Amino acid sequence: MARQWSEGHSTSILCVGASPGPDGLLASGSEGGEVTVWSQEGTIVGRLALPGEEDSTSVVFSPAAPGQLYVSHGDTVSVLDPRNLKGPVEQFLGAGEEEINALALSDTGSALAVADDSGAVRVLELPGGKVCRTLRRHTNICSSVAFRPHRPNNLLSAGLDMQVMLWGLQKTRPLWTLNLQDVAEEEDDHQQRPGQLFNPPLAHCVTVASCGNILGCAAEDGRVHLMRIGSGSKLEQQGAFKAHSQGASQAHFVSFLPHPYWLVTGGNDSQVALWDLSKHPVVSPEAKAKTRVTAAPRRKSKSKAKRKEQSQDKAKTPPKAEEDKEEAKVEDEAAAAGSEEVTEEKSGPKLSISHGDKVNWLCPAVLKGEPTVVVADQSSSLTVYPLPQL
C-alpha cells in the first residue's frame, strides 16, 4: 500500500535524495528554498528554509560522509548537516553560472558536478568547493549530470539541446556526444510516428547502472534512451524504448534489486513504472539477433546544425570553429567505430502505477528493509510505493 509523507513542505516538492546505508535518512527540497529531512518511517527529523528563498532543485547525500547533505538553490550549493538543520555549514556561492538544475557526487565524495541553465557543467573539488573544471558544450539548459560508478573521471551530462555527453575530466571536451534528435529522425525514416514533431527528445534525466556501463536517459518524447559504453569509454551501442505516453521526466537505475538492470521511470502522464532491462539488446547483446540494427547517425552538416541551434530559445553561442573541427573528428571516428542503434521488441513494465499527478522526482530507497520508490509530484507531500518482491 502507498504511504503519504506530509507536513514536511508548504510548496511543491522538486527533488528527493536518500542517504546510503540501512539506517539512512531521506531529504527533500521544494519551491521557495525549503529542505526537509525524514527518517525511514517518514517522521520529520528537521526542516529548514534556505536564505534567498530560491527553489531547492537538487539534494544529494555524500556517499563518503552521510553527515553531509548538498542542496542546490539558485546558483548556490549549501552544505547541510542533515541531523542538525540549523542552517548551512558551508556555502559555495556562484557554484553555477546560472540557476543550478542538478547535482551529482563522485563515489568517493571528493568531486561535485553542478549542471545549470547556461548549459555549463562545473566540477567542484571537495572539501572546499573550488571549481576545478568548467565543461561547456551544451547549447541549451543542462538538466542532469551523473558520475559513472567506479570511474570518478567519467561524467555524463544531458540537456534540453537533446544531447547526451560523456566527459573524461582530464579534458574539457566530451569523449562522445549522442544527439537524441538524430536518433529519433533515423527511426522516423523507418516508421513515421505521429506527434513526433511536438515531442522533441529534450533530455531530462540521465542515470547509470551500478556496473557503470549501461546508461539511461529520460526524454520529452516519452522514451528512455539507452546506451552501452564499451572499452576505451566508447559508445558501443544505443537504443530506446517507449516508457510514457507524454514526456518522461525521471529515470533511475535501482541498485538494490537482484540485478543492476532494473529501472524506475516517471512521466508527465502521471505514471510510475518499473522495468526489467536485463534482456534489452543494448544491455544484453545476445538478444541483438532478434532486433533491427542500424548504424549510428552521423554528425549533422554545419548549416543544419546551425539552424537547429538558432531555433533553441535559450541557445548559447556555438563553440569555437577550431574546437568544432576537433569534435567533428572525434565524433566521426566514433561513428566509424560502428556504434549501433537497436530497438527492443515490445515488452511492458513489470510494475505500472497510476500516480495521478505529474512526477517531479523519483528516488529508489530501501526503507526499513523494504524496497520502495519515493515519488515527488506537484503537491507538498511525498508518496512511498513498495516495490514487489522480485
Side-chain angles (χ1 to χ4, degrees):
M1 281 296 294
R3 305 190 291 280
Q4 288 282 123
W5 292 3
S6 45
E7 294 174 14
H9 291 273
S10 63
T11 53
S12 177
I13 301 174
L14 303 175
C15 54
V16 189
S19 172
D23 305 314
L25 300 169
L26 280 88
S28 51
S30 70
E31 293 173 353
E34 293 181 356
V35 180
T36 301
V37 174
W38 309 81
S39 74
Q40 296 207 354
E41 294 85 4
T43 55
I44 295 166
V45 174
R47 288 183 65 181
L48 177 69
L50 289 164
E53 296 187 5
E54 292 176 287
D55 295 351
S56 303
T57 52
S58 190
V59 287
V60 193
F61 284 91
S62 167
Q68 286 176 344
L69 173 66
Y70 295 85
V71 183
S72 57
H73 50 111
D75 64 1
T76 298
V77 175
S78 288
V79 189
L80 308 177
D81 176 350
R83 293 195 177 275
N84 185 22
L85 275 190
K86 286 204 170 124
V89 179
E90 198 176 357
Q91 282 197 312
F92 308 142
L93 300 167
E97 295 183 0
E98 292 182 18
E99 186 180 358
I100 298 167
N101 299 307
L103 301 175
L105 276 163
S106 62
D107 286 346
T108 56
S110 60
L112 176 71
V114 173
D116 72 26
D117 273 3
S118 76
V121 178
R122 281 182 166 176
V123 181
L124 280 57
E125 288 173 354
L126 297 176
K130 179 174 171 247
V131 176
C132 60
R133 277 275 178 272
T134 301
L135 311 172
R136 299 180 206 279
R137 271 306 159 90
H138 288 287
T139 57
N140 203 323
I141 290 168
C142 185
S143 46
S144 184
V145 277
F147 281 94
R148 279 179 77 193
H150 325 300
R151 294 165 188 82
N153 278 323
N154 273 194
L155 179 71
L156 279 140
S157 64
L160 302 195
D161 57 357
M162 300 175 273
Q163 314 267 2
V164 177
M165 301 182 188
L166 177 69
W167 304 84
L169 293 183
Q170 296 89 341
K171 297 184 176 161
T172 52
R173 59 181 171 78
L175 297 170
W176 52 258
T177 299
L178 180 67
N179 184 321
L180 302 185
Q181 191 174 39
D182 287 354
V183 176
E185 285 173 6
E186 282 279 318
E187 287 212 343
D188 286 346
D189 287 346
H190 298 274
Q191 59 180 88
Q192 200 58 46
R193 279 205 313 280
Q196 179 60 36
L197 287 173
F198 303 105
N199 290 319
L202 312 176
H204 292 307
C205 180
V206 70
T207 178
V208 193
S210 55
C211 66
N213 294 329
I214 303 296
L215 323 175
C217 181
E220 187 62 27
D221 58 2
R223 294 191 295 175
V224 173
H225 297 261
L226 297 175
M227 291 141 263
R228 187 171 78 238
I229 300 180
S231 59
S233 297
K234 286 192 170 67
L235 175 59
E236 196 168 77
Q237 209 167 357
Q238 45 91 7
F241 67 95
K242 187 75 173 170
H244 294 274
S245 60
Q246 294 178 39
S249 55
Q250 288 279 293
H252 296 272
F253 280 106
V254 185
S255 60
F256 47 75
L257 293 178
H259 62 69
Y261 308 120
W262 289 95
L263 182 82
V264 64
T265 64
N268 295 341
D269 57 359
S270 306
Q271 297 290 313
V272 175
L274 178 70
W275 309 83
D276 178 356
L277 299 180
S278 57
K279 302 279 195 305
H280 190 285
V282 169
V283 175
S284 164
E286 307 81 70
K288 205 164 71 175
K290 303 175 192 165
T291 65
R292 173 175 69 74
V293 178
T294 63
R298 282 246 175 196
R299 198 166 187 270
K300 277 194 180 307
S301 71
K302 275 288 163 62
S303 59
K304 201 164 177 186
K306 203 162 188 181
R307 277 204 305 278
K308 198 166 66 198
E309 273 173 19
Q310 286 164 351
S311 73
Q312 299 287 356
D313 52 350
K314 271 183 119 170
K316 304 292 172 204
T317 326
K320 293 192 291 295
E322 199 48 50
E323 286 181 336
D324 253 10
K325 235 183 288 178
E326 186 61 41
E327 186 189 21
K329 191 174 136 204
V330 171
E331 289 183 6
D332 283 347
E333 279 167 9
S339 145
E340 295 162 3
E341 190 245 318
V342 290
T343 307
E344 194 192 13
E345 302 167 322
K346 294 273 181 287
S347 60
K350 296 297 178 214
L351 174 70
S352 190
I353 299 164
S354 292
H355 176 66
D357 202 351
K358 279 185 176 184
V359 173
N360 281 343
W361 203 280
L362 295 178
C363 178
V366 179
L367 301 178
K368 309 305 288 175
E370 179 184 41
T372 66
V373 60
V374 183
V375 182
D377 54 34
Q378 315 287 296
S379 75
S380 58
S381 299
L382 292 172
T383 309
V384 180
Y385 293 103
L387 294 176
Q389 296 303 311
L390 300 160

PDB file of all heavy atoms in Angstrom, residues 190-216:
ATOM      1  N   HIS A 190      12.222   4.988 -40.777  1.00  0.00           N
ATOM      2  CA  HIS A 190      11.737   3.614 -40.913  1.00  0.00           C
ATOM      3  C   HIS A 190      10.261   3.505 -40.544  1.00  0.00           C
ATOM      4  O   HIS A 190       9.530   2.716 -41.108  1.00  0.00           O
ATOM      5  CB  HIS A 190      12.551   2.678 -40.008  1.00  0.00           C
ATOM      6  CG  HIS A 190      14.000   2.656 -40.379  1.00  0.00           C
ATOM      7  ND1 HIS A 190      14.506   1.816 -41.341  1.00  0.00           N
ATOM      8  CD2 HIS A 190      15.044   3.385 -39.927  1.00  0.00           C
ATOM      9  CE1 HIS A 190      15.813   2.026 -41.456  1.00  0.00           C
ATOM     10  NE2 HIS A 190      16.153   2.980 -40.617  1.00  0.00           N
ATOM     11  N   GLN A 191       9.841   4.269 -39.555  1.00  0.00           N
ATOM     12  CA  GLN A 191       8.425   4.215 -39.139  1.00  0.00           C
ATOM     13  C   GLN A 191       7.978   5.606 -38.716  1.00  0.00           C
ATOM     14  O   GLN A 191       8.478   6.157 -37.753  1.00  0.00           O
ATOM     15  CB  GLN A 191       8.249   3.218 -37.988  1.00  0.00           C
ATOM     16  CG  GLN A 191       9.085   3.557 -36.770  1.00  0.00           C
ATOM     17  CD  GLN A 191       8.892   2.548 -35.665  1.00  0.00           C
ATOM     18  OE1 GLN A 191       9.569   1.554 -35.601  1.00  0.00           O
ATOM     19  NE2 GLN A 191       7.950   2.810 -34.799  1.00  0.00           N
ATOM     20  N   GLN A 192       7.075   6.179 -39.443  1.00  0.00           N
ATOM     21  CA  GLN A 192       6.614   7.540 -39.129  1.00  0.00           C
ATOM     22  C   GLN A 192       5.737   7.493 -37.886  1.00  0.00           C
ATOM     23  O   GLN A 192       4.755   6.768 -37.843  1.00  0.00           O
ATOM     24  CB  GLN A 192       5.825   8.085 -40.319  1.00  0.00           C
ATOM     25  CG  GLN A 192       5.707   9.598 -40.317  1.00  0.00           C
ATOM     26  CD  GLN A 192       7.072  10.295 -40.310  1.00  0.00           C
ATOM     27  OE1 GLN A 192       7.938   9.927 -41.065  1.00  0.00           O
ATOM     28  NE2 GLN A 192       7.234  11.278 -39.454  1.00  0.00           N
ATOM     29  N   ARG A 193       6.141   8.231 -36.863  1.00  0.00           N
ATOM     30  CA  ARG A 193       5.328   8.267 -35.643  1.00  0.00           C
ATOM     31  C   ARG A 193       4.604   9.597 -35.565  1.00  0.00           C
ATOM     32  O   ARG A 193       5.247  10.645 -35.538  1.00  0.00           O
ATOM     33  CB  ARG A 193       6.218   8.110 -34.404  1.00  0.00           C
ATOM     34  CG  ARG A 193       6.592   6.683 -34.114  1.00  0.00           C
ATOM     35  CD  ARG A 193       6.903   6.515 -32.640  1.00  0.00           C
ATOM     36  NE  ARG A 193       7.799   7.559 -32.155  1.00  0.00           N
ATOM     37  CZ  ARG A 193       9.108   7.538 -32.335  1.00  0.00           C
ATOM     38  NH1 ARG A 193       9.675   6.575 -33.013  1.00  0.00           N
ATOM     39  NH2 ARG A 193       9.872   8.490 -31.844  1.00  0.00           N
ATOM     40  N   PRO A 194       3.258   9.580 -35.517  1.00  0.00           N
ATOM     41  CA  PRO A 194       2.539  10.847 -35.413  1.00  0.00           C
ATOM     42  C   PRO A 194       2.893  11.544 -34.102  1.00  0.00           C
ATOM     43  O   PRO A 194       3.128  10.900 -33.092  1.00  0.00           O
ATOM     44  CB  PRO A 194       1.063  10.417 -35.423  1.00  0.00           C
ATOM     45  CG  PRO A 194       1.063   8.986 -35.012  1.00  0.00           C
ATOM     46  CD  PRO A 194       2.369   8.413 -35.478  1.00  0.00           C
ATOM     47  N   GLY A 195       2.945  12.872 -34.152  1.00  0.00           N
ATOM     48  CA  GLY A 195       3.190  13.635 -32.925  1.00  0.00           C
ATOM     49  C   GLY A 195       4.652  13.802 -32.581  1.00  0.00           C
ATOM     50  O   GLY A 195       4.990  14.502 -31.642  1.00  0.00           O
ATOM     51  N   GLN A 196       5.543  13.172 -33.330  1.00  0.00           N
ATOM     52  CA  GLN A 196       6.969  13.255 -33.013  1.00  0.00           C
ATOM     53  C   GLN A 196       7.466  14.712 -33.013  1.00  0.00           C
ATOM     54  O   GLN A 196       8.248  15.108 -32.184  1.00  0.00           O
ATOM     55  CB  GLN A 196       7.770  12.421 -34.021  1.00  0.00           C
ATOM     56  CG  GLN A 196       9.278  12.444 -33.815  1.00  0.00           C
ATOM     57  CD  GLN A 196       9.697  11.910 -32.465  1.00  0.00           C
ATOM     58  OE1 GLN A 196       9.098  10.987 -31.957  1.00  0.00           O
ATOM     59  NE2 GLN A 196      10.710  12.507 -31.869  1.00  0.00           N
ATOM     60  N   LEU A 197       6.952  15.499 -33.973  1.00  0.00           N
ATOM     61  CA  LEU A 197       7.398  16.889 -34.078  1.00  0.00           C
ATOM     62  C   LEU A 197       7.075  17.681 -32.826  1.00  0.00           C
ATOM     63  O   LEU A 197       7.767  18.617 -32.482  1.00  0.00           O
ATOM     64  CB  LEU A 197       6.723  17.557 -35.285  1.00  0.00           C
ATOM     65  CG  LEU A 197       7.238  17.136 -36.654  1.00  0.00           C
ATOM     66  CD1 LEU A 197       6.372  17.753 -37.733  1.00  0.00           C
ATOM     67  CD2 LEU A 197       8.690  17.572 -36.829  1.00  0.00           C
ATOM     68  N   PHE A 198       5.985  17.308 -32.165  1.00  0.00           N
ATOM     69  CA  PHE A 198       5.549  18.076 -30.997  1.00  0.00           C
ATOM     70  C   PHE A 198       6.258  17.633 -29.733  1.00  0.00           C
ATOM     71  O   PHE A 198       6.165  18.276 -28.721  1.00  0.00           O
ATOM     72  CB  PHE A 198       4.033  17.957 -30.830  1.00  0.00           C
ATOM     73  CG  PHE A 198       3.297  18.424 -32.056  1.00  0.00           C
ATOM     74  CD1 PHE A 198       2.711  17.518 -32.919  1.00  0.00           C
ATOM     75  CD2 PHE A 198       3.235  19.775 -32.372  1.00  0.00           C
ATOM     76  CE1 PHE A 198       2.065  17.956 -34.067  1.00  0.00           C
ATOM     77  CE2 PHE A 198       2.585  20.219 -33.515  1.00  0.00           C
ATOM     78  CZ  PHE A 198       1.998  19.302 -34.371  1.00  0.00           C
ATOM     79  N   ASN A 199       6.944  16.497 -29.768  1.00  0.00           N
ATOM     80  CA  ASN A 199       7.648  15.996 -28.599  1.00  0.00           C
ATOM     81  C   ASN A 199       9.115  15.764 -28.918  1.00  0.00           C
ATOM     82  O   ASN A 199       9.555  14.630 -29.040  1.00  0.00           O
ATOM     83  CB  ASN A 199       7.022  14.681 -28.111  1.00  0.00           C
ATOM     84  CG  ASN A 199       5.658  14.904 -27.499  1.00  0.00           C
ATOM     85  OD1 ASN A 199       5.456  15.859 -26.776  1.00  0.00           O
ATOM     86  ND2 ASN A 199       4.723  14.038 -27.814  1.00  0.00           N
ATOM     87  N   PRO A 200       9.887  16.834 -29.090  1.00  0.00           N
ATOM     88  CA  PRO A 200      11.306  16.621 -29.356  1.00  0.00           C
ATOM     89  C   PRO A 200      11.956  15.942 -28.152  1.00  0.00           C
ATOM     90  O   PRO A 200      11.514  16.143 -27.018  1.00  0.00           O
ATOM     91  CB  PRO A 200      11.844  18.044 -29.555  1.00  0.00           C
ATOM     92  CG  PRO A 200      10.887  18.919 -28.832  1.00  0.00           C
ATOM     93  CD  PRO A 200       9.550  18.254 -28.929  1.00  0.00           C
ATOM     94  N   PRO A 201      12.991  15.133 -28.360  1.00  0.00           N
ATOM     95  CA  PRO A 201      13.574  14.368 -27.250  1.00  0.00           C
ATOM     96  C   PRO A 201      14.501  15.207 -26.360  1.00  0.00           C
ATOM     97  O   PRO A 201      15.697  14.924 -26.241  1.00  0.00           O
ATOM     98  CB  PRO A 201      14.324  13.245 -27.970  1.00  0.00           C
ATOM     99  CG  PRO A 201      14.677  13.819 -29.295  1.00  0.00           C
ATOM    100  CD  PRO A 201      13.572  14.762 -29.658  1.00  0.00           C
ATOM    101  N   LEU A 202      13.946  16.262 -25.757  1.00  0.00           N
ATOM    102  CA  LEU A 202      14.714  17.035 -24.780  1.00  0.00           C
ATOM    103  C   LEU A 202      15.130  16.076 -23.665  1.00  0.00           C
ATOM    104  O   LEU A 202      14.319  15.311 -23.168  1.00  0.00           O
ATOM    105  CB  LEU A 202      13.853  18.157 -24.186  1.00  0.00           C
ATOM    106  CG  LEU A 202      13.068  19.036 -25.169  1.00  0.00           C
ATOM    107  CD1 LEU A 202      12.202  20.031 -24.416  1.00  0.00           C
ATOM    108  CD2 LEU A 202      14.002  19.760 -26.119  1.00  0.00           C
ATOM    109  N   ALA A 203      16.404  16.112 -23.284  1.00  0.00           N
ATOM    110  CA  ALA A 203      16.918  15.138 -22.311  1.00  0.00           C
ATOM    111  C   ALA A 203      16.741  15.685 -20.896  1.00  0.00           C
ATOM    112  O   ALA A 203      17.283  16.734 -20.557  1.00  0.00           O
ATOM    113  CB  ALA A 203      18.385  14.846 -22.611  1.00  0.00           C
ATOM    114  N   HIS A 204      15.966  14.957 -20.074  1.00  0.00           N
ATOM    115  CA  HIS A 204      15.614  15.461 -18.740  1.00  0.00           C
ATOM    116  C   HIS A 204      16.424  14.856 -17.602  1.00  0.00           C
ATOM    117  O   HIS A 204      16.691  15.524 -16.613  1.00  0.00           O
ATOM    118  CB  HIS A 204      14.129  15.202 -18.455  1.00  0.00           C
ATOM    119  CG  HIS A 204      13.202  16.014 -19.301  1.00  0.00           C
ATOM    120  ND1 HIS A 204      13.303  17.385 -19.395  1.00  0.00           N
ATOM    121  CD2 HIS A 204      12.154  15.656 -20.093  1.00  0.00           C
ATOM    122  CE1 HIS A 204      12.343  17.845 -20.210  1.00  0.00           C
ATOM    123  NE2 HIS A 204      11.655  16.817 -20.644  1.00  0.00           N
ATOM    124  N   CYS A 205      16.755  13.569 -17.700  1.00  0.00           N
ATOM    125  CA  CYS A 205      17.337  12.896 -16.534  1.00  0.00           C
ATOM    126  C   CYS A 205      18.227  11.757 -16.998  1.00  0.00           C
ATOM    127  O   CYS A 205      17.759  10.867 -17.725  1.00  0.00           O
ATOM    128  CB  CYS A 205      16.206  12.357 -15.653  1.00  0.00           C
ATOM    129  SG  CYS A 205      16.785  11.516 -14.173  1.00  0.00           S
ATOM    130  N   VAL A 206      19.499  11.788 -16.605  1.00  0.00           N
ATOM    131  CA  VAL A 206      20.430  10.739 -17.013  1.00  0.00           C
ATOM    132  C   VAL A 206      20.797   9.892 -15.793  1.00  0.00           C
ATOM    133  O   VAL A 206      20.876  10.397 -14.674  1.00  0.00           O
ATOM    134  CB  VAL A 206      21.681  11.351 -17.698  1.00  0.00           C
ATOM    135  CG1 VAL A 206      22.554  12.096 -16.708  1.00  0.00           C
ATOM    136  CG2 VAL A 206      22.483  10.306 -18.431  1.00  0.00           C
ATOM    137  N   THR A 207      20.941   8.573 -16.000  1.00  0.00           N
ATOM    138  CA  THR A 207      21.204   7.639 -14.902  1.00  0.00           C
ATOM    139  C   THR A 207      22.171   6.564 -15.388  1.00  0.00           C
ATOM    140  O   THR A 207      22.199   6.249 -16.576  1.00  0.00           O
ATOM    141  CB  THR A 207      19.877   7.012 -14.397  1.00  0.00           C
ATOM    142  OG1 THR A 207      20.159   6.070 -13.346  1.00  0.00           O
ATOM    143  CG2 THR A 207      19.134   6.272 -15.506  1.00  0.00           C
ATOM    144  N   VAL A 208      22.974   6.031 -14.459  1.00  0.00           N
ATOM    145  CA  VAL A 208      23.959   5.000 -14.804  1.00  0.00           C
ATOM    146  C   VAL A 208      23.737   3.796 -13.906  1.00  0.00           C
ATOM    147  O   VAL A 208      23.599   3.942 -12.688  1.00  0.00           O
ATOM    148  CB  VAL A 208      25.408   5.511 -14.596  1.00  0.00           C
ATOM    149  CG1 VAL A 208      26.403   4.564 -15.243  1.00  0.00           C
ATOM    150  CG2 VAL A 208      25.586   6.916 -15.150  1.00  0.00           C
ATOM    151  N   ALA A 209      23.708   2.586 -14.494  1.00  0.00           N
ATOM    152  CA  ALA A 209      23.580   1.364 -13.694  1.00  0.00           C
ATOM    153  C   ALA A 209      24.841   1.170 -12.852  1.00  0.00           C
ATOM    154  O   ALA A 209      25.909   1.692 -13.172  1.00  0.00           O
ATOM    155  CB  ALA A 209      23.356   0.165 -14.613  1.00  0.00           C
ATOM    156  N   SER A 210      24.713   0.386 -11.777  1.00  0.00           N
ATOM    157  CA  SER A 210      25.840   0.233 -10.842  1.00  0.00           C
ATOM    158  C   SER A 210      27.059  -0.410 -11.496  1.00  0.00           C
ATOM    159  O   SER A 210      28.180  -0.246 -11.020  1.00  0.00           O
ATOM    160  CB  SER A 210      25.401  -0.569  -9.616  1.00  0.00           C
ATOM    161  OG  SER A 210      24.854  -1.811 -10.031  1.00  0.00           O
ATOM    162  N   CYS A 211      26.868  -1.128 -12.625  1.00  0.00           N
ATOM    163  CA  CYS A 211      28.013  -1.713 -13.337  1.00  0.00           C
ATOM    164  C   CYS A 211      28.846  -0.628 -14.020  1.00  0.00           C
ATOM    165  O   CYS A 211      30.012  -0.844 -14.365  1.00  0.00           O
ATOM    166  CB  CYS A 211      27.533  -2.715 -14.386  1.00  0.00           C
ATOM    167  SG  CYS A 211      26.586  -1.937 -15.719  1.00  0.00           S
ATOM    168  N   GLY A 212      28.235   0.552 -14.245  1.00  0.00           N
ATOM    169  CA  GLY A 212      28.958   1.673 -14.846  1.00  0.00           C
ATOM    170  C   GLY A 212      28.947   1.708 -16.362  1.00  0.00           C
ATOM    171  O   GLY A 212      29.404   2.681 -16.960  1.00  0.00           O
ATOM    172  N   ASN A 213      28.419   0.663 -17.009  1.00  0.00           N
ATOM    173  CA  ASN A 213      28.495   0.595 -18.478  1.00  0.00           C
ATOM    174  C   ASN A 213      27.173   0.823 -19.196  1.00  0.00           C
ATOM    175  O   ASN A 213      27.147   0.991 -20.414  1.00  0.00           O
ATOM    176  CB  ASN A 213      29.047  -0.773 -18.918  1.00  0.00           C
ATOM    177  CG  ASN A 213      30.490  -0.942 -18.485  1.00  0.00           C
ATOM    178  OD1 ASN A 213      31.218   0.031 -18.412  1.00  0.00           O
ATOM    179  ND2 ASN A 213      30.874  -2.161 -18.167  1.00  0.00           N
ATOM    180  N   ILE A 214      26.063   0.786 -18.467  1.00  0.00           N
ATOM    181  CA  ILE A 214      24.740   0.975 -19.084  1.00  0.00           C
ATOM    182  C   ILE A 214      24.163   2.301 -18.597  1.00  0.00           C
ATOM    183  O   ILE A 214      24.076   2.550 -17.403  1.00  0.00           O
ATOM    184  CB  ILE A 214      23.785  -0.184 -18.726  1.00  0.00           C
ATOM    185  CG1 ILE A 214      24.374  -1.534 -19.154  1.00  0.00           C
ATOM    186  CG2 ILE A 214      22.416   0.038 -19.368  1.00  0.00           C
ATOM    187  CD1 ILE A 214      24.556  -1.704 -20.659  1.00  0.00           C
ATOM    188  N   LEU A 215      23.770   3.140 -19.558  1.00  0.00           N
ATOM    189  CA  LEU A 215      23.231   4.456 -19.245  1.00  0.00           C
ATOM    190  C   LEU A 215      21.786   4.540 -19.708  1.00  0.00           C
ATOM    191  O   LEU A 215      21.410   3.935 -20.717  1.00  0.00           O
ATOM    192  CB  LEU A 215      24.013   5.553 -19.984  1.00  0.00           C
ATOM    193  CG  LEU A 215      25.524   5.382 -20.144  1.00  0.00           C
ATOM    194  CD1 LEU A 215      26.080   6.507 -21.006  1.00  0.00           C
ATOM    195  CD2 LEU A 215      26.181   5.364 -18.793  1.00  0.00           C
ATOM    196  N   GLY A 216      21.004   5.337 -18.996  1.00  0.00           N
ATOM    197  CA  GLY A 216      19.634   5.602 -19.420  1.00  0.00           C
ATOM    198  C   GLY A 216      19.379   7.093 -19.386  1.00  0.00           C
ATOM    199  O   GLY A 216      19.949   7.812 -18.563  1.00  0.00           O
TER     200      GLY A 216
END
